[in-house]
Amino acid sequence: SPVIDGYTADQLKVSEMTGITSDTKDISVTVTYTRNQGTIDITYIDETTGKVLTTKDLSGGTGDSSNYTTDADIKTYTDMGYELVSNDYPKDGTKFADDPQHYVVRLKHGITEVTENKSVNQVIHYVYQDNGSKAADDHNATVDFSRTITTDKVTGEKTYSDWTADNGDSFASVTSPVIDGYTADQLKVSEMTGITSDTK
């Protein structure tokens, strides 16, 4: 039987007929062609978890348009916080063929990052012993810490980096002001090291 693109004959060949005589009636054979059915599958994969999100299974006559694009489904996922990594399905759609077609859309979890700050303050007060009044201006120093908070836009899960000191992790020694006629109980406040984000 003739080969017709997109169709399959119910008889690939009509068998030989022998013994034909002048008395043999006319012979009529009908070969019926059925439209081939093609399949297309599009698999959506979560690259962050490695799991399959969904699979679209399409079928139709060979040569017919699939009438499907990935735009709407991708938007559904991006609205949920995903980001598109790759998509090998033709942007304008495709047609069914005799051979199965397989396509993959890869997405990953979107993230947001914010910086959180924290400070440890040192205040040294200078006062007179007899009445507790101010003898000199306070000395103020600050050690600043920061960390990054990362939020998974799909799950809402937050992860925290370690606190890091932005300007060192110690307070320098401070010499007390000299006031005529008075002696300080501490000539200097010693250096304080090992300051962490948990230090009061």
Side-chain angles (χ1 to χ4, degrees):
S1 298
V3 174
I4 300 175
D5 288 342
Y7 290 84
T8 300
D10 61 354
Q11 301 178 63
L12 295 182
K13 70 176 181 178
V14 176
S15 299
E16 177 185 15
M17 299 177 187
T18 61
I20 306 299
T21 70
S22 60
D23 295 326
T24 302
K25 303 292 185 183
D26 288 345
I27 299 168
S28 176
V29 177
T30 300
V31 177
T32 302
Y33 287 82
T34 303
R35 186 74 176 277
N36 293 345
Q37 293 294 299
T39 60
I40 298 172
D41 61 73
I42 306 99
T43 304
Y44 290 79
I45 295 177
D46 183 332
E47 289 262 286
T48 303
T49 64
K51 295 181 178 179
V52 173
L53 294 168
T54 189
T55 300
K56 293 286 184 182
D57 293 311
L58 312 174
S59 62
T62 296
D64 289 348
S65 172
S66 68
N67 293 322
Y68 174 81
T69 65
T70 55
D71 293 347
D73 286 317
I74 290 174
K75 184 178 186 305
T76 297
Y77 285 114
T78 56
D79 287 347
M80 292 167 57
Y82 284 91
E83 294 177 0
L84 178 64
V85 176
S86 64
N87 175 15
D88 63 4
Y89 185 83
K91 181 169 179 57
D92 297 326
T94 188
K95 294 181 178 181
F96 294 103
D98 289 343
D99 295 327
Q101 300 175 65
H102 310 285
Y103 299 99
V104 177
V105 177
R106 300 183 185 277
L107 304 121
K108 66 179 180 179
H109 292 203
I111 60 172
T112 57
E113 292 184 343
V114 296
T115 300
E116 183 178 16
N117 299 299
K118 188 176 185 180
S119 298
V120 177
N121 298 302
Q122 179 195 50
V123 182
I124 302 173
H125 301 288
Y126 302 103
V127 298
Y128 291 113
Q129 183 183 35
D130 50 3
N131 59 14
S133 62
K134 175 180 175 180
D137 290 339
D138 292 344
H139 170 84
N140 295 278
T142 301
V143 172
D144 296 314
F145 295 88
S146 63
R147 69 177 177 181
T148 301
I149 303 174
T150 303
T151 303
D152 186 314
K153 293 168 70 174
V154 176
T155 65
E157 181 181 356
K158 296 181 183 294
T159 55
Y160 301 83
S161 69
D162 293 333
W163 287 103
T164 57
D166 298 331
N167 56 344
D169 61 354
S170 63
F171 291 112
S173 63
V174 180
T175 301
S176 299
V178 174
I179 301 175
D180 288 343
Y182 288 86
T183 300
D185 62 352
Q186 300 179 63
L187 294 182
K188 72 174 180 179
V189 175
S190 299
E191 178 185 18
M192 297 179 184
T193 60
I195 305 300
T196 72
S197 60
D198 296 323
T199 303
K200 300 297 184 185

